[in-house]
Amino acid sequence: MRVPKKNILGRRDDSLYGLLSSYKSNYTYIKVFVSEEDHSIVLLLADNPKRFFDMPVEKFRNYRMLSRLEMGIAKISIKYLSPENLIVVLGPLLGFTIPPEKSVMIDSLKKDGYYSMETSLRYKTRMLQGVKKLINMSPHKRYEILEKYFSADQEYSDGRTE
């Protein structure tokens, strides 16, 4: 049996997973709710699954949570990325092909710790395709999002952009 090499003398791990390892505490948890009565679908993102319990219960009384099987995905979290990283880099629609005027976004990440996007049930397939795309994102794409997030953050903090 082969013994893995240890990081001797504090050498940096420049592989993709080595670069991402410093962000391993960042996660984005996803839940999708559907209501046939209200004819709407809601996507929720949070950095911690307990944040989903902080949401207003009366709003989601008519909604049913979709399972991973119904969404066609294997997991419900995105490793190495926080919801803020996704929203800043991909935009408020997260790169989904949903018309902006047909959706309502509520960004309460700072206050309550979750982000929600609600749209008509007509766009259910587009929403689920977007969720699959986010979940199945390659590690390289995740690292690109982190780079863009931190470079945009640095530009604004340096005062170089107006």
Side-chain angles (χ1 to χ4, degrees), residues 18-96:
L19 295 171
L20 286 172
S21 67
S22 58
Y23 303 103
K24 68 181 175 183
S25 63
N26 293 345
Y27 275 90
T28 298
Y29 295 93
I30 297 174
K31 285 194 178 191
V32 178
F33 292 92
V34 173
S35 173
E36 279 80 18
E37 294 174 15
D38 297 337
H39 198 67
S40 65
I41 183 168
V42 177
L43 169 73
L44 295 170
L45 302 176
D47 60 348
N48 191 334
K50 74 175 183 176
R51 305 276 191 205
F52 293 125
F53 297 112
D54 297 338
M55 298 179 313
V57 177
E58 62 276 354
K59 181 180 179 185
F60 293 100
R61 191 170 312 277
N62 297 330
Y63 286 83
R64 176 181 65 85
M65 187 175 80
L66 292 180
S67 67
R68 292 181 299 159
L69 184 63
E70 289 174 306
M71 288 189 281
I73 55 176
K75 54 189 175 181
I76 56 170
S77 64
I78 304 169
K79 196 172 183 180
Y80 306 121
L81 296 174
S82 68
E84 185 178 358
N85 300 142
L86 293 169
I87 294 164
V88 169
V89 174
L90 300 175
L93 287 174
L94 302 169
F96 295 179

